[in-house]
Amino acid sequence: MTATPVTATTVTPAIRRALVVRGGWEGHSPVEITDLFVPFLKEQGFTVETSDTLAVYTDAELLAATDLVIQCWTMGETTAEQTRGLAQAVRAGTGFAGWHGGIIDSFRGDVDYTLLTGGQFLRHPPGFLDHGVEIRPERADHPVTAGLADFRVFTEQYWVATDPDIDVLATTTFPADEERDHEVVMPAVWTRRQGAGRVFVSAIGHKADDFDVPEVRALTERGLLWASR
């Protein structure tokens, strides 16, 4: 079967507002990788602002006027006020999206934040691995994955703990090894709804060239658009 070309959705003339919050551990190249998506967002009718501080999550007026928050902030800590401000904004309709450690290796131990994203990174095998990502057949018509075929990436393979109340769009499989005598199918891309807001998470994106894989780029771009108000 021939897959539909992995193109993003058409340009919309409506002006929306995106806020990119980036920082934390530099190993995930928060500035370099988020900058990959700024031109795309502008083409899709967004104005784009960036913040290098988590204090922005306490600015209720700004967040209420923001249609999409894209976060790339690995590790670090938030205050209870910052987490609460972000969660309240999402539940009121502001979209929240991100990839890899920038969204699910953030603020470890903050249960309220994990309940917002629907998952938390636990570990990954050493180094980069060539591994498959499988689109769930029953979600193959979702706007994020429609027309995409299964694909392979050479990057970190995330083992995650997830909330049962997420919509898993794609998975990755860990083979049997010395720790277990069976393979394990792990969520790799998911969405969830929080009140009036939408959340998009992809476990893929440790390094900039992960997004050179057409399917990775397409599902990430689509995920940003899906999550936006």
Side-chain angles (χ1 to χ4, degrees):
M1 182 179 72
T2 301
T4 301
V6 288
T7 56
T9 58
T10 56
V11 174
T12 173
I15 297 299
R16 289 180 286 179
R17 188 175 188 177
L19 173 65
V20 178
V21 182
R22 57 195 189 185
W25 183 57
E26 287 295 328
H28 283 155
S29 308
V31 173
E32 177 188 6
I33 296 181
T34 55
D35 276 350
L36 294 176
F37 294 95
V38 170
F40 167 77
L41 290 168
K42 291 180 176 178
E43 290 170 0
Q44 298 299 316
F46 287 86
T47 60
V48 181
E49 302 172 60
T50 61
S51 174
D52 61 1
T53 172
L54 297 171
V56 72
Y57 288 154
T58 65
D59 189 335
E61 183 177 353
L62 172 62
L63 293 183
T66 298
D67 298 293
L68 174 64
V69 174
I70 302 164
Q71 181 184 281
C72 189
W73 196 294
T74 304
M75 294 182 276
E77 295 182 355
T78 57
T79 65
E81 182 184 11
Q82 290 165 353
T83 300
R84 184 167 55 251
L86 173 61
Q88 288 176 346
V90 173
R91 293 188 181 105
T94 299
F96 188 52
W99 50 83
H100 200 61
I103 193 167
I104 52 172
D105 190 13
S106 313
F107 327 133
R108 297 176 69 85
D110 186 331
V111 174
D112 290 333
Y113 176 78
T114 301
L115 288 172
L116 177 66
T117 62
Q120 173 71 66
F121 162 75
L122 295 180
R123 65 176 180 173
H124 62 78
F128 301 148
L129 297 177
D130 177 72
H131 61 279
V133 177
E134 297 82 38
I135 307 299
R136 290 186 72 197
E138 61 269 37
R139 303 305 289 131
D141 61 348
H142 191 282
V144 172
T145 52
L148 298 183
D150 297 348
F151 59 94
R152 301 194 68 82
V153 290
F154 180 71
T155 191
E156 290 180 342
Q157 187 180 27
Y158 263 15
W159 186 287
V160 295
T162 55
D163 189 312
D165 188 23
I166 59 173
D167 185 5
V168 179
L169 305 183
T171 60
T172 187
T173 300
F174 287 80
D177 60 16
E178 65 278 2
E179 293 186 5
R180 71 192 73 83
D181 62 1
H182 57 277
E183 65 182 24
V184 175
V185 178
M186 188 71 57
V189 180
W190 67 84
T191 63
R192 78 176 317 180
R193 295 177 184 266
Q194 289 283 297
R198 296 177 172 188
V199 177
F200 165 78
V201 174
S202 171
I204 310 162
H206 175 86
K207 47 192 174 61
D209 66 7
D210 290 353
F211 298 96
D212 291 342
V213 178
E215 293 86 353
V216 176
R217 184 65 181 242
L219 68 83
T220 306
E221 291 178 344
R222 292 176 182 184
L224 301 182
L225 297 182
W226 180 89
S228 177
R229 192 197 320 263

